[in-house]
């Protein structure tokens, strides 16, 4: 959980107002009992809806700040692995890294156990920065148990995603998470996923692999092929990460 981050409180609040406005544009959507979501690629090319009026500009600023925070954290993660601070950004070509903005809108459900929020999954990129509108719902798998994550407004939850696990040859683990819905309040989460560039062939860092004692635990794959694999229906109930694990 990151508190003293680089996204000003006013920008964070504005982003939630715009997202709320987006989902309220059509009345049916706001009355639906199902999760609704908006998913857009925001880097290297920026895409955004034009409505509501302030959405585009706020989203662009929000994602730029999020990218900066992710890069700073990735420098520290590189160092923690005994690598140069710029190792990850260089090896994975982050100047053209794929960044995806996902806004999730979960209407309240009187019987929350009956409603599907978001099923268990791990994120495919490097780091996902998640903010929530103060309504609890996110759960992560920790030591075999699902635990609730606090939903403190203006805080960023940082989820380690598949490509940090791959690059670190398993030293970092991609976190399995899911989301439950609330019985009383509408829950909104904003996830900004930061990944390698689409054309980068990602392998465990050579510096972390030793032939005998610590062999590569993942096969290499182009990031965009990994994305395709995750979205395909060829996974037989496995995750994309299971498919590249040796
Ligand atoms: O709503 C949440 O807290 C989780 C969202 C999420 O995991 C995602 O969009 O990938
Ligand atoms: Fe996720």
């Amino acid at each position: 959980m990151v508190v003293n981050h680089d996204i000003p409180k006013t920008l964070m609040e504005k982003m939630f107002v715009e997202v709320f406005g987006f989902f309220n544009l059509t009345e049916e959507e706001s009355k639906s009992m199902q999760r609704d979501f908006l998913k857009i690629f925001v880097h290297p090319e920026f895409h955004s809806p034009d409505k509501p009026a302030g959405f585009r500009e706020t989203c662009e600023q929000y994602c730029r700040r999020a990218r900066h925070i992710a890069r700073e954290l990735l420098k520290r993660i590189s160092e923690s692995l005994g690598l140069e601070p710029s190792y990850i950004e260089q090896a994975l070509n982050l100047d053209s890294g794929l960044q995806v903005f996902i806004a999730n809108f979960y209407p309240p459900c009187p019987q929350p156990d009956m409603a599907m929020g978001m099923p268990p999954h791990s994120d495919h990129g490097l780091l996902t920065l998640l903010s929530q509108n103060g309504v609890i719902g996110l759960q992560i798998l920790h030591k075999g148990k699902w635990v609730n994550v606090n939903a403190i407004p203006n805080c960023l939850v940082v989820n380690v995603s598949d490509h940090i696990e791959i690059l670190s040859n398993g030293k970092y683990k991609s976190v399995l998470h899911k989301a439950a819905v609330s019985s009383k309040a509408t829950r909104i989460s904003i996830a900004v996923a930061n990944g390698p560039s689409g054309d980068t062939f990602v392998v465990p860092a050579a510096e972390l692999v030793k032939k005998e004692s610590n062999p590569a635990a993942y096969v290499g794959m182009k990031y965009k092929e990994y994305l395709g694999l995750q979205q395909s229906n060829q996974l037989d109930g496995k995750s994309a990460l299971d498919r590249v694990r040796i």
Side-chain angles (χ1 to χ4, degrees):
M1 191 97 74
V2 183
V3 260
N4 262 334
H5 53 71
D6 207 25
I7 301 180
K9 191 164 173 273
T10 46
L11 177 58
M12 178 88 80
E13 286 166 356
K14 225 166 136 193
M15 192 69 259
F16 275 96
V17 169
E18 298 297 351
V19 164
F20 198 81
F22 175 83
F23 287 113
N24 270 314
L25 279 179
T26 66
E27 224 177 301
E28 290 125 79
E29 266 169 344
S30 67
K31 286 201 178 121
S32 136
M33 294 288 279
Q34 300 240 330
R35 173 179 81 111
D36 204 349
F37 68 97
L38 166 70
K39 184 171 178 179
I40 40 180
F41 281 85
V42 287
H43 194 267
E45 250 178 62
F46 179 73
H47 301 271
S48 166
D50 288 322
K51 286 182 193 158
F55 191 98
R56 193 181 181 86
E57 194 192 337
T58 306
C59 183
E60 201 273 324
Q61 286 178 21
Y62 188 88
C63 293
R64 187 154 21 92
R65 299 262 186 173
R67 210 153 55 237
H68 180 72
I69 297 168
R71 297 242 334 211
E72 285 304 307
L73 292 170
L74 289 167
K75 282 186 189 145
R76 304 287 93 81
I77 290 176
S78 288
E79 285 180 315
S80 75
L81 292 166
L83 304 167
E84 285 297 311
S86 62
Y87 185 95
I88 293 178
E89 56 189 35
Q90 285 178 1
L92 304 185
N93 302 308
L94 294 195
D95 283 347
S96 47
L98 288 184
Q99 191 185 34
V100 189
F101 174 96
I102 305 136
N104 299 295
F105 184 93
Y106 307 89
C109 176
Q111 287 173 291
D113 294 344
M114 305 294 283
M116 177 58 87
M118 192 180 286
H121 66 281
S122 62
D123 295 344
H124 45 67
L126 292 160
L127 290 179
T128 298
L129 306 186
L130 188 100
S131 53
Q132 306 162 79
N133 67 336
V135 179
I136 208 154
L138 176 67
Q139 299 178 323
I140 61 166
L141 193 64
H142 180 66
K143 296 186 178 156
K145 287 211 174 100
W146 288 106
V147 291
N148 287 322
V149 177
N150 264 340
I152 306 166
N154 209 35
C155 257
L156 288 173
V157 175
V158 180
N159 276 338
V160 169
S161 311
D162 296 355
H163 279 76
I164 289 283
E165 177 165 334
I166 297 168
L167 182 107
S168 71
N169 203 29
K171 277 207 170 153
Y172 278 86
K173 296 288 183 216
S174 185
V175 62
L176 263 182
H177 56 284
K178 62 179 183 177
V181 300
S182 156
S183 59
K184 295 193 185 72
T186 292
R187 177 166 185 270
I188 296 178
S189 67
I190 298 174
V192 182
N194 302 273
S197 86
D199 286 323
T200 304
F201 189 80
V202 188
V203 287
E207 290 79 350
L208 304 177
V209 172
K210 291 201 187 70
K211 239 186 177 166
E212 312 268 291
S213 59
N214 191 23
Y218 307 82
V219 295
M221 191 180 280
K222 252 193 193 179
Y223 182 48
K224 65 181 176 202
E225 278 164 23
Y226 190 93
L227 291 181
L229 180 65
Q230 203 190 38
Q231 269 137 41
S232 74
N233 46 13
Q234 302 155 15
L235 286 170
D236 301 329
K238 289 184 167 185
S239 71
L241 195 54
D242 291 332
R243 290 295 291 269
V244 298
R245 215 178 254 129
I246 294 173

